[in-house]
Amino acid sequence: MRSSITKERNYKKQVLVCCGVNCLTSGNDIILDKFQSRMKEMRLDNEINVTKTGCFGFCARGPIVEILPDKIFYTEITLDDVDKIIDKHLLKNQEIEELLYTNPLTKEKISKPKNMDFYKKQKKIALRNCGIIDPENIDDYVLADGYTALDKALKMTPEEVVEIIKKSGLRGRGGAGFPTGKKWEIALHNKAPKKYVVCNADEGDPGAFMDRSILEGDPHSIVEAMAVCGYAIGAEYGLVYIRAEYPNAMKILAKAIKDAKNHGFLGKNIYNTNFNFDIQLKYGAGAFVCGEETALIRSMQGKRGEPVNKPPFPAERGYKNSPTNVNNVETLANIPVIIKKGAEWFRSFGTENSPGTKVFALAGKINNTGLIEVPMGTTLREIIYEIGGGIKNGKKFKAVQTGGPSGGCLTMDDLDTPIDFDNLVAKGSMMGSGGMIIMDEDNCMPAVAKFYLDFTVDESCGKCTPCRIGNKRLLEILKRITDGEGTEDDLDTLKELSLIIKDSALCGLGQTAPNPVLSTLEKFWDEYVAHVRDKKCPSGQCKALIKYVINNKCIGCTLCARICPESCITGSPKQRHYIDAEKCIKCGSCYEACKFHAINRD
Ligand SMILES: Cc1cc2nc3c(=O)[nH]c(=O)nc-3n(C[C@H](O)[C@H](O)[C@H](O)COP(=O)(O)O)c2cc1C
Ligand code: SF4
Ligand code: SF4
Ligand code: SF4
Ligand code: FES
């Protein structure tokens, strides 16, 4: 099959058009259409192939297209640029300088991704095919060595397959970092007549889109991994729990499953062995708590998505009371390549206790927002300043929240920490699913804690009291503090209550919800004190605590008075202006607009 596909693939050039979620929202679907229809009109579609791919990672510079075999990357392109790329590059082999990425520091134009700081330190294992193959074309996956891991696994015993995963040291990428091989071993040794493989594609963390990007960019790697897992643990049924808020991923995955069946990679007697495996999709309504494995299993059975006590763990009693192996999308994406290249190869990346790589979604006040994959052990400084291109608008780095609502923040002092599961926990945060929200000097840390807690309180299933009531009380206290009504006693209560909730909530959602509170209290204590004792918000974000005052640098240019929505700035031209504090709604427009630093935000 592989050789017949290769024969059909003798294109002179290939145009890879990123159709990941960010590029699509910036119009890459119409760019793709235009490339395809122009190629047809010009009768070039046999020589120049236009491929729709998943996310390239460098979302901040989207829409992106890459031209192969030249490996030239064009960023921030528009519909009008399509003809330019066809006429100049595809027909005349000329690079189009103005569409190349410009290094913001050196102003140098860079044409190849391998020379861009954003890509230099990355190592793509889970994302190996994203942005390279057409996710909706099974031939593309097969040409990228797809389904050879399944073939290889089926020639081994299940015990041997489990042993490779154990030796690789792969740890679950869904948050807790449990060793995947160990989990598979427990399921393998369970001699129940029916077992299930579940892929957790719920991905509810705010700011996280790594699982979605894998499903949209390389769905067959998940199908293949689930089949390998099924063989290893002795399961014939796989289920993907995917949130219905990901319609594109659902569509792409459903097609991948259908195509895999048609090609004999799923179904009966796979690769002429007596191994049978089938996959079904289950749709989640988009509740964060449904990502927790016991809630997820209940939800798949049509029950309320509420967590239940563990043990029994899903590997003992899960879906339909049968042993169930639940793995995260990114965890599974690593499986085929580990089977193919071996445990030692995988262990050659990362750290002793956290081998391999980790995908992070960089968001917040960072220049290069997007999706990155780095070896475990890469430092935060490398991620933020080299790959991420530093903080937006030349502002100062203040903190980075890792692990989403379950995690905590790291500060300047942690920048040289090599990131892995254990180091993050030791620093008071956690890996979580890999969301990384970067904050600058303008972020107010009690407000950050309030933001995360607001999310978890909203998403709590309400089953147990510490989470339902305790987290709500925490949120009320944080609201008081950011409204300027907090007291020093509130700070003690925040800490005490957080520790009680962590100890007593039933599931991971409630147990980790106070983490952002504890972490910001520990690392930004002075900022909390400033709010409750001095009634000031040092970063100038809490409206109730700030006041705009015009100082004597004012030259009376009148700009602020003209833009103030409340008309509460008065003064004659060339004279110092004044703000009527009673009428001011603290929108900050005047502060942002004044070019003479004549407005103080106290
Ligand atoms: C509130 C909560 C939400 C979770 N959401 C997800 C999720 O969206 N995706 C995921 O893979 N794991 C999620 N988990 C972790 C799962 O319970 C489970 O540990 C994981 O899917 C196991 O896969 P892994 O071993 O491959 O990481 C969540 C846990 C909690 C407590
Ligand atoms: S901790 Fe929260 S989300 Fe978990 S069971 Fe209790 S109420 Fe539900
Ligand atoms: S914009 Fe600044 S300088 Fe101009 S009037 Fe307002 S405060 Fe004065
Ligand atoms: S903060 Fe907004 S409302 Fe207040 S004076 Fe400035 S522009 Fe007017
Ligand atoms: S969506 Fe295009 S680079 Fe991420």
Side-chain angles (χ1 to χ4, degrees), residues 550-551 553-561 569 575-577 590 593-599:
I550 296 180
N551 63 39
K553 286 189 202 146
C554 174
I555 61 148
C557 75
T558 75
L559 178 63
C560 58
I569 304 180
Q575 303 288 317
R576 180 171 170 176
H577 281 43
C590 55
C594 178
K595 296 183 181 70
F596 302 94
H597 302 290
I599 304 183

Side-chain angles (χ1 to χ4, degrees), residues 24 60 80 189 329 465 491 550:
L24 275 183
D80 292 341
H189 288 158
V329 172
T465 317
L491 303 189
I550 296 180

Side-chain angles (χ1 to χ4, degrees), residues 177 382 413 435 477:
E382 289 169 299
D413 295 342
I477 298 173

Side-chain angles (χ1 to χ4, degrees), residues 133 142 158 218 220 359 413 454 488 506 578 584:
I133 65 166
V142 170
D218 190 18
H220 285 283
V359 181
D413 295 342
D454 200 26
E488 287 185 63
L506 189 154
Y578 292 91
C584 171

Side-chain angles (χ1 to χ4, degrees), residues 369-571:
T369 50
L371 207 62
I372 64 161
E373 182 170 358
V374 288
M376 296 272 194
T378 304
T379 65
L380 272 177
R381 191 184 297 282
E382 289 169 299
I383 293 178
I384 295 171
Y385 287 96
E386 294 179 41
I387 300 171
I391 308 303
K392 265 191 182 147
N393 304 321
K395 298 246 172 167
K396 267 199 258 153
F397 166 76
K398 183 168 186 180
V400 50
Q401 173 86 12
T402 67
S406 312
C409 58
L410 301 161
T411 63
M412 288 292 268
D413 295 342
D414 307 313
L415 281 180
D416 293 310
T417 305
I419 303 279
D420 68 8
F421 285 105
D422 309 319
N423 282 345
L424 283 177
V425 172
K427 294 277 173 185
S429 186
M430 63 188 286
M431 184 75 81
S433 60
M436 250 193 203
I437 316 269
I438 287 79
M439 289 167 263
D440 70 8
E441 56 198 281
D442 292 338
N443 282 97
C444 163
M445 299 318 278
V448 166
K450 186 175 73 174
F451 167 82
Y452 284 109
L453 214 67
D454 200 26
F455 174 81
T456 32
V457 163
D458 223 32
E459 296 288 330
S460 161
C461 79
K463 183 175 174 178
C464 65
T465 317
C467 176
R468 187 182 64 246
I469 304 197
N471 281 322
K472 195 133 206 278
R473 293 291 95 84
L474 284 183
L475 179 61
E476 285 165 2
I477 298 173
L478 287 168
K479 278 190 173 147
R480 269 210 304 277
I481 291 174
T482 52
D483 284 348
E485 287 157 15
T487 64
E488 287 185 63
D489 285 349
D490 279 337
L491 303 189
D492 297 332
T493 315
L494 271 184
K495 188 162 182 192
E496 207 178 321
L497 186 54
S498 291
L499 294 173
I500 294 170
I501 297 169
K502 273 178 77 70
D503 264 359
S504 54
L506 189 154
C507 85
L509 189 149
Q511 287 157 5
T512 59
N515 284 352
V517 183
L518 288 169
S519 162
T520 50
L521 270 175
E522 188 197 321
K523 295 182 177 164
F524 295 94
W525 176 253
D526 291 349
E527 211 168 311
Y528 276 93
V529 172
H531 279 73
V532 295
R533 196 177 58 202
D534 312 330
K535 302 294 175 202
K536 283 196 185 297
C537 172
S539 41
Q541 294 303 311
C542 296
K543 276 192 179 179
L545 297 172
I546 52 174
K547 206 163 126 196
Y548 290 95
V549 180
I550 296 180
N551 63 39
N552 58 14
K553 286 189 202 146
C554 174
I555 61 148
C557 75
T558 75
L559 178 63
C560 58
R562 282 181 278 130
I563 60 161
C564 174
E566 296 300 301
S567 305
C568 59
I569 304 180
T570 49

